[in-house]
Amino acid sequence: MLPDSPHPATDIVDAPPSRPADSAGYRRLELGVQAFFFIVAIVTALNSLDLGLMVAFGPGPGFFPFYLSIAMGLLVLAWIVQSRRAIRSGAAGDTAIDEAIDYPHVVTVIVSLIVLAALMGVLGYQIAMFLFLYFHLAIRAKRTWYTSLIIALAGSVGVFHVFTDLLSVTLPLSMFGFLNTIGL
């Protein structure tokens, strides 16, 4: 509650628009989304088996996709059970997310991911990821410049070296020769 406020409840937050979370249309939509993700999990698991789970020297190319798709399928099943219990108990409207979607934020994240994917081959992983992380931390999340700098360096240069040096996984390098000579 804000001091000296004639309307304490409306000064803090505006009420989000209501959504008929317990309506039949919403339940059908939710079930459709759940079925879609469950089918994606099954198809991914089956396709990853064709890649091979193990090879002579360790995990094969299908190892991580297989187990991640199994985890995804289990999470979707848990989601289905949770939403069915909420409907049976009559609390579907209480447990559903009633927050308004921040469309500008969603669009910014999607566009920045597309830009990241486009710049990854040109600038390399370290520079592209640094710019992506710094943008989201310093500009979008309004963190201090030094906090953003440290996290962006750890998430770009640090992760690059963990993958390339420790795990022997190749990440994209810059297509510019002068950046390659300095390890970027």
Side-chain angles (χ1 to χ4, degrees), residues 129-170:
M129 187 57 71
F130 175 81
L131 294 172
F132 174 81
L133 291 173
Y134 194 82
F135 168 75
H136 281 281
L137 291 166
I139 296 169
R140 297 289 301 158
K142 308 260 190 275
R143 302 284 183 213
T144 60
W145 69 269
Y146 51 87
T147 302
S148 301
L149 180 68
I150 291 169
I151 295 172
L153 281 172
S156 59
V157 178
V159 168
F160 179 83
H161 285 290
V162 166
F163 273 84
T164 57
D165 298 338
L166 297 176
L167 301 173
S168 299
V169 175
T170 306

Side-chain angles (χ1 to χ4, degrees), residues 15 50 147 176:
D50 293 338
T147 302
F176 299 113

